[in-house]
Amino acid sequence: MVSYQKFAKDVGFIGTVQVLTSLGTFFLLPIITKTLGTYDYGLWAQINTTVSLISPLALMGLSMGFVRFLSSETEIKIIREAVYSILFFVTIAGLFASFLLYMFAEPLATFGFKDSHATYFIQAGSLLILLNVIESISLFYFRIFRQIQTFSYLTLFETFGKLFFILFLLKMGYGLLGVIAATLLVQGSIFLISLLMIISQIGFVIPRFTYIKEYLQFSLPLTPNSLIRWITESSDRYMVTYFLGLRSVGVYSAACSIGSLIQLFVSSLQLILLPELSKLFDENKTDEVRIYMSHSLRYFLLISIPAVFGLSALAKPLLGILTTDDFLSGWFVIPIIAFSGLLAGIFQIFVNTMLLIKETKTTTYINIVAAVSNVLINLLLIPSIGIVGASLSTLFSYFLMAVLCMHISLKHFKLDFYLHDIVKSVLSSITMYLFVSYFVISSIFELFEIAGMGVLIYLVMMFLIGGFTDHELSLIRSYLFRAKSEVKQ
């Protein structure tokens, strides 16, 4: 019980950090879109899409191997050897991948981006691959060893560091190059800070790669998953570019960046959930694994269901306020991508089962089915109904992934779905949706005001129809009383 209370506390803490992170992203979107416009923002989105394809390949799945094998490890020598051998491996792979992108920037710009002038920006962004992989491994260290506050503060520093430096360089007139430079600067700083903290905790050694073969045997089968997941999650940007051009991909990417905020809710859980489940599973505490997964699913749905309804109600004013009129045509994409994010979160919780029992090939097969369906539906729908077709393809793919993963996972762990609570959440969310949809919103202040009132209505409705347990109500009361006492002081 103590362990679960700590788990819940950590999830609550990092959930708060994720809210602050999403606020940073929320304010960053209008800064970039209103300065760059649809075309340059589409180019930036395409560079990010390309980096998101290559970075996981350079990681070789070692980030997940890092989590799986070291979550229950206490021997400093083993930890030190693992950290530096994995970090060395991904550094070399990241350098090689960055070099390849730099060398092939021109044909990619010509054929992939349909703009040869994008070559310079692709070359400038090629180093993002190296920084992505080494920063990822260094941050995973704090996640694995449950240094949640350190991990969270570094995440906040990255979000608001990017916000500050991007705003500064855009004001200086550097445009898209300034966005790339600011991202490189902040991610490089995060890696250096993380590395210094890791060295201060475990020291430094030149790795002997004692365990790397075992890690790679687990991790390499996960590497194709990264490519396949990219096809499901991001390949639609290339198809939108091919059929509709960079301006359309700019509109689509802006809408997706708002709709995909739903996935932040599961990321706060997953950051802590997999290390905790791995530790429990290694200790043969399968009943506790089932309890953790059941509660995690319930909490994710109780938060994400109203978030989907809220984003759907606020889709048009959100896009209108955060971007320019040129982006407004993409508002209908937001509800579809938001619901896709909910399904992606369900998949992410259930896929832990395959990672625990080391059946990583099963995950690969699920991802292949989703990726193939995604490509086929995109080819069918994008030419006929544009970016809405791309979002519908994403929705269907995540639906397949969630259903297939749940079917396999439930053979190993029978979870409690808390269906009564989910129904209550849907009813409360519908009430909130009807309230929020009634208002005409024209400013960011009104947006926050109506969104806050919507959250309050959801909570009140959940309380009235018994959607919270007694323990949860006592926690809410304790937080409210604590907040009041802090205000009085």
Side-chain angles (χ1 to χ4, degrees):
M1 179 61 70
V2 175
S3 177
Y4 182 76
Q5 287 177 348
K6 183 183 184 303
F7 170 79
K9 182 180 178 181
D10 286 343
V11 170
F13 177 79
I14 204 167
T16 303
V17 170
Q18 291 285 14
V19 170
L20 294 174
T21 301
S22 63
L23 281 175
T25 306
F26 182 84
F27 288 116
L28 185 59
L29 180 64
I31 291 171
I32 297 179
T33 54
K34 292 184 178 183
T35 305
L36 298 184
T38 55
Y39 191 84
D40 279 356
Y41 184 76
L43 181 53
W44 170 236
Q46 283 297 81
I47 292 172
N48 271 324
T49 299
T50 305
V51 169
S52 72
L53 164 64
I54 303 174
S55 296
L57 298 178
L59 273 172
M60 297 176 287
L62 282 169
S63 56
M64 298 310 298
F66 200 4
V67 176
R68 181 65 188 89
F69 286 98
L70 293 182
S71 293
S72 56
E73 186 58 63
T74 56
E75 178 61 48
I76 290 294
K77 289 183 179 179
I78 296 176
I79 293 171
R80 188 188 298 130
E81 169 64 24
V83 169
Y84 295 116
S85 60
I86 290 174
L87 190 56
F88 177 84
F89 247 74
V90 300
T91 300
I92 298 301
L95 276 170
F96 181 67
S98 292
F99 175 74
L100 285 179
L101 180 59
Y102 184 90
M103 294 301 296
F104 290 95
E106 186 174 358
L108 177 63
T110 303
F111 299 106
F113 288 29
K114 296 217 163 193
D115 182 3
S116 59
H117 294 97
T119 302
Y120 174 71
F121 295 106
I122 297 173
Q123 289 176 332
S126 62
L127 270 178
L128 288 170
I129 298 170
L130 171 63
L131 289 175
N132 271 4
V133 298
I134 59 178
E135 183 199 30
S136 174
I137 292 297
S138 62
L139 288 177
F140 260 72
Y141 170 88
F142 303 107
R143 169 185 166 184
I144 292 166
F145 298 108
R146 300 167 184 81
Q147 299 179 31
I148 302 304
Q149 289 192 353
T150 301
F151 176 88
S152 300
Y153 292 143
L154 288 170
T155 303
L156 282 175
F157 176 77
E158 179 174 0
T159 299
F160 288 96
K162 286 180 181 178
L163 181 65
F164 173 79
F165 283 108
I166 286 175
L167 178 61
F168 175 75
L169 290 177
L170 286 176
K171 288 289 186 182
M172 295 289 291
Y174 287 100
L176 178 55
L177 186 62
V179 176
I180 296 171
T183 305
L184 290 169
L185 174 65
V186 174
Q187 287 192 229
S189 301
I190 291 291
F191 169 69
L192 290 175
I193 294 170
S194 301
L195 183 61
L196 290 173
M197 295 178 72
I198 292 170
I199 292 173
S200 70
Q201 292 183 17
I202 64 173
F204 177 80
V205 294
I206 297 174
R208 298 180 179 180
F209 309 105
T210 308
Y211 310 103
I212 198 68
K213 182 179 179 181
E214 182 183 3
Y215 300 154
L216 287 171
Q217 284 176 341
F218 173 85
S219 300
L220 283 177
L222 293 171
T223 305
N225 284 346
S226 302
L227 174 59
I228 299 164
R229 284 290 296 275
W230 178 87
I231 293 173
T232 304
E233 295 173 355
S234 304
S235 66
D236 51 1
R237 269 71 163 183
Y238 272 93
M239 295 191 191
V240 170
T241 302
Y242 178 81
F243 288 112
L244 307 175
L246 278 173
R247 293 188 186 278
S248 292
V249 86
V251 173
Y252 181 62
S253 297
C256 286
S257 67
I258 296 173
S260 61
L261 289 173
I262 296 294
Q263 296 194 41
L264 287 174
F265 298 129
V266 78
S267 64
S268 60
L269 272 174
Q270 187 68 358
L271 286 170
I272 306 167
L273 185 59
L274 182 56
E276 193 69 33
L277 291 178
S278 298
K279 181 174 182 294
L280 292 171
F281 188 80
D282 290 342
E283 295 170 353
N284 294 318
K285 297 179 180 178
T286 54
D287 285 341
E288 290 192 39
V289 170
R290 184 184 62 79
I291 292 170
Y292 271 64
M293 288 183 65
S294 297
H295 282 294
S296 297
L297 179 64
R298 177 178 181 270
Y299 290 136
F300 169 69
L301 291 175
L302 290 184
I303 295 173
S304 60
I305 289 172
V308 169
F309 277 88
L311 283 174
S312 300
L314 296 171
K316 199 166 185 177
L318 267 171
L319 207 55
I321 292 169
L322 296 182
T323 62
T324 64
D325 290 341
D326 293 334
F327 291 85
L328 199 56
S329 60
W331 75 269
F332 194 75
V333 166
I334 294 176
I336 302 172
I337 295 297
F339 189 45
S340 301
L342 184 147
L343 295 173
I346 293 173
F347 166 80
Q348 195 63 54
I349 291 172
F350 278 97
V351 82
N352 286 312
T353 299
M354 269 67 88
L355 297 175
L356 293 177
I357 63 177
K358 301 179 183 177
E359 287 289 340
T360 51
K361 289 183 180 179
T362 305
T363 311
T364 302
Y365 298 145
I366 292 173
N367 284 322
I368 288 173
V369 172
V372 171
S373 68
N374 183 271
V375 171
L376 293 176
I377 298 173
N378 273 324
L379 289 172
L380 179 66
L381 295 184
I382 291 177
S384 56
I385 58 175
I387 60 176
V388 174
S391 62
L392 288 173
S393 174
T394 301
L395 176 64
F396 182 76
S397 299
Y398 278 126
F399 173 77
L400 272 181
M401 291 169 67
V403 170
L404 291 173
C405 194
M406 285 173 60
H407 175 71
I408 296 169
S409 177
L410 291 173
K411 293 180 180 179
H412 299 277
F413 299 105
K414 301 296 183 184
L415 303 190
D416 188 340
F417 283 84
Y418 298 99
L419 291 178
H420 288 92
D421 291 338
I422 303 308
V423 171
K424 292 172 184 176
S425 178
V426 171
L427 292 174
S428 300
S429 299
I430 291 172
T431 304
M432 177 194 68
Y433 177 88
L434 294 173
F435 170 82
V436 171
S437 301
Y438 177 77
F439 294 91
V440 177
I441 301 171
S442 57
S443 69
I444 194 166
F445 176 77
E446 290 178 353
L447 182 66
F448 278 110
E449 184 180 30
I450 299 303
M453 293 173 66
V455 171
L456 182 61
I457 286 174
Y458 173 77
L459 292 174
V460 170
M461 280 297 300
M462 284 290 286
F463 172 76
L464 292 175
I465 63 179
F468 297 121
T469 65
D470 291 338
H471 177 66
E472 289 162 354
L473 289 174
S474 67
L475 284 176
I476 293 171
R477 282 195 292 268
S478 67
Y479 278 115
L480 287 174
F481 286 132
R482 185 186 305 172
K484 288 180 180 179
S485 64
E486 289 175 355
V487 170
K488 289 179 181 179
Q489 291 175 0

